[in-house]
Amino acid sequence: MTEISERAVVRRLNDRFGFGPAPGDLDAGVDATVRRLLGPAKDAAAAAVVVPTGLEPPESVKKKDQDKDAKKAANKQRAAQERKLTIWWLDRMVVSRTAGERLTWFWHGHFATSNQKVRNTAWMLAQNQTQRTLALGRFGDLAQAMIVDTAMIRWLDGQKNRKGSPNENLAREFMELFTLGLGHYQEADVAQGARCLTGWVLRKDAATFQRRRFDTGSKTVLGKTGDFDAKGFARLALAQPASAGFVIGRLWFRLVSATPPDAATVARLTTAYGVNRDIRSLLTAMVGEAAFKDPASSLVKEPVEWAVGLLRALKLRPSKLEEKEQTKLLAGLRGMGQLPYRPPSVGGWPAGASWLTTSAGVTRLQLAQQLAKKADLSAVKDAQDVAALLGVDGWSERTKTALAGVKDPAQLTAVAACAPEYVVSG
């Protein structure tokens, strides 16, 4: 099998386990890049971005006292809080130097939770921080944290699941979308699993467990019988033989290739994943697979990945943009179909050609033009200069032709940022 060059592997590592290369990153070797991205070192640059405060939700107003102005004011406050939280996370992505932030983004799509329904940015931040803390650790720890996460419980109606009045949403999605996949559980497992998840209620600050609302007694889930609670249910799902392959497949699809790994590859990766379900070890093993260096293993960048990579290349920080420019940035991401904290469903965002629609292409160009105008492009004179800026080795003949007649540095950069060589992680 033909392999891509070492420099292309380095670029692919920066694209897949980060948000694109920062200046100088492509000059490092493969081993050094893997150590930076997947090693144990902390991401000091991302950690230096100050966590936003003042995310407490508006005081609830009783329906009988509620009027249009009060509703409007509360919604405006929620929108401002979510905007602050989103800009903060985009800032972290732009400056990040390890795979931690990229994997936090992956887990946000895997355990997809939307503030459209949660309507509480403090809870969304708490979930985000939990995913970040556990992003490269043991998947079992992450899964057990998510099944009792406040935002997740609100998102999947866990607070409505009570003894004698089961709500099966969280139990079903936990098995279908988070740990096992379709075909690896029965309807009886959903019903019994819901009993395991009873007892959780939402209070102002967080979800809390109330034993009097918990359905005690024997439950049979996935072939095991006992008085299981939420974390016990999570352990049962993770113990299923199908779980390792499911998690490996999800990570592979987003970080390596749209072509599923064959049985031999899955077996090797399962060994690396191990009984501790070690995510860092699994990702390191994925880098060592031949498919990671296969020219065919190209992936279309998700809108957030593309935009953050462009911001990084242009040395722009979202928090440093003027308010109206921040508004355009968020509107651009929304127009392309991907805004942090707003996945379209519990299934997360689509992938691949879904991001290459005509309307998304128009929005991408508009956003690239807006960002390029804010950057220092004094070093950009021609297509070769913009290739160096964006970390692209070269352009196809078709792209060269498209760029040849563009003289303005900002417009040249914007058009280049929308070329296949940049939109696709090759």
Side-chain angles (χ1 to χ4, degrees):
M1 181 182 71
T2 305
E3 293 186 354
I4 57 178
S5 68
E6 180 174 353
R7 183 178 176 86
V9 173
V10 172
R11 180 186 301 104
R12 188 171 280 185
L13 283 165
N14 280 286
D15 282 346
R16 308 296 174 82
F17 298 107
F19 292 95
D25 282 348
L26 296 182
D27 297 326
V30 171
D31 290 344
T33 303
V34 171
R35 283 196 299 272
R36 171 173 61 81
L37 290 168
L38 292 171
K42 301 296 183 183
D43 195 335
V49 181
V50 179
V51 179
T53 57
L55 300 181
E56 296 75 18
E59 289 293 329
S60 58
V61 182
K62 293 181 180 179
K63 280 190 175 181
K64 65 183 180 64
D65 299 326
Q66 208 170 45
D67 58 33
K68 289 183 179 180
D69 288 340
K71 270 187 176 180
K72 188 174 180 180
N75 288 335
K76 185 177 181 180
Q77 185 177 344
R78 288 191 188 92
Q81 291 173 348
E82 186 174 338
R83 176 193 179 103
K84 181 192 294 188
L85 187 62
T86 303
I87 292 295
W88 167 78
W89 195 8
L90 291 172
D91 251 23
R92 284 191 63 111
M93 292 179 190
V94 169
V95 303
S96 63
R97 300 296 296 150
T98 76
E101 210 61 38
R102 176 63 182 84
L103 265 292
T104 303
W105 173 248
F106 170 83
W107 294 124
H108 176 47
H110 182 81
F111 294 101
T113 306
S114 174
N115 198 41
Q116 182 176 7
K117 180 176 178 180
V118 176
R119 293 168 64 82
N120 188 311
T121 47
W123 292 354
M124 295 299 295
L125 172 61
Q127 183 189 83
N128 182 259
Q129 294 284 46
T130 298
Q131 290 173 350
R132 179 171 294 106
T133 300
L134 302 175
L136 292 168
R138 298 187 299 185
F139 181 73
D141 294 340
L142 178 59
Q144 289 194 9
M146 287 298 100
I147 205 168
V148 295
D149 175 78
T150 303
M152 179 65 73
I153 287 174
R154 172 71 179 93
W155 173 234
L156 291 178
D157 305 311
Q159 79 282 7
K160 298 179 181 179
N161 183 18
R162 301 176 184 178
K163 180 179 180 180
S165 180
N167 184 296
E168 299 178 351
N169 283 2
L170 181 52
R172 182 182 304 280
E173 305 300 4
F174 188 81
M175 290 188 287
E176 179 179 330
L177 296 175
F178 303 159
T179 57
L180 294 175
L182 279 170
H184 297 290
Y185 62 89
Q186 306 296 323
E187 283 303 306
D189 297 318
V190 176
Q192 293 289 293
R195 293 179 60 209
C196 302
L197 304 184
T198 54
W200 290 88
V201 297
L202 294 178
R203 294 294 180 254
K204 183 177 180 180
D205 294 331
T208 59
F209 182 72
Q210 293 187 352
R211 177 154 291 278
R212 64 185 177 82
R213 297 193 181 197
F214 176 64
D215 188 345
T216 58
S218 181
K219 310 168 183 83
T220 300
V221 185
L222 297 168
K224 300 293 183 180
T225 300
D227 183 16
F228 304 116
D229 60 6
K231 293 191 175 182
F233 171 64
R235 284 192 292 269
L236 291 173
L238 292 169
Q240 294 298 299
S243 181
F246 176 77
V247 175
I248 289 168
R250 291 292 293 265
L251 283 159
W252 181 275
F253 180 71
R254 295 287 180 174
L255 303 177
V256 180
S257 173
T259 301
D262 59 27
T265 302
V266 172
R268 289 191 296 271
L269 295 177
T270 300
T271 299
Y273 190 48
V275 294
N276 289 326
R277 306 177 184 88
D278 190 302
I279 299 163
R280 193 191 307 271
S281 176
L282 171 60
L283 297 179
T284 303
M286 284 183 176
V287 172
E289 289 294 329
F292 194 82
K293 303 175 182 66
D294 188 342
S297 296
S298 59
L299 294 174
V300 178
K301 294 177 184 176
E302 298 176 5
V304 165
E305 295 168 18
W306 171 84
V308 170
L310 182 56
L311 285 159
R312 178 181 296 204
L314 297 178
K315 298 181 181 179
L316 297 175
R317 287 277 296 273
S319 63
K320 303 300 183 183
L321 297 174
E322 297 174 8
E323 185 175 347
K324 64 179 181 179
E325 298 302 329
Q326 291 179 357
T327 299
K328 290 178 182 178
L329 170 60
L330 299 181
L333 291 174
R334 186 181 296 108
M336 287 186 286
Q338 190 173 54
L339 194 62
Y341 304 110
R342 290 280 176 151
S345 72
V346 69
W349 284 284
S354 300
W355 302 122
L356 299 178
T357 64
T358 301
S359 61
V362 171
T363 303
R364 185 182 295 112
L365 178 59
Q366 291 172 339
L367 181 54
Q369 290 170 328
Q370 171 217 330
L371 295 177
K373 289 176 183 177
K374 295 296 176 181
D376 178 3
L377 299 175
S378 55
V380 174
K381 308 299 182 186
D382 55 30
Q384 187 174 344
D385 293 334
V386 79
L389 177 71
L390 298 178
V392 175
D393 279 342
W395 307 109
S396 68
E397 290 304 317
R398 183 175 181 179
T399 299
K400 285 180 183 177
T401 300
L403 298 178
V406 185
K407 302 302 180 185
D408 176 67
Q411 184 66 4
L412 177 64
T413 301
V415 173
C418 297
E421 292 86 348
Y422 190 72
V423 172
V424 175
S425 170

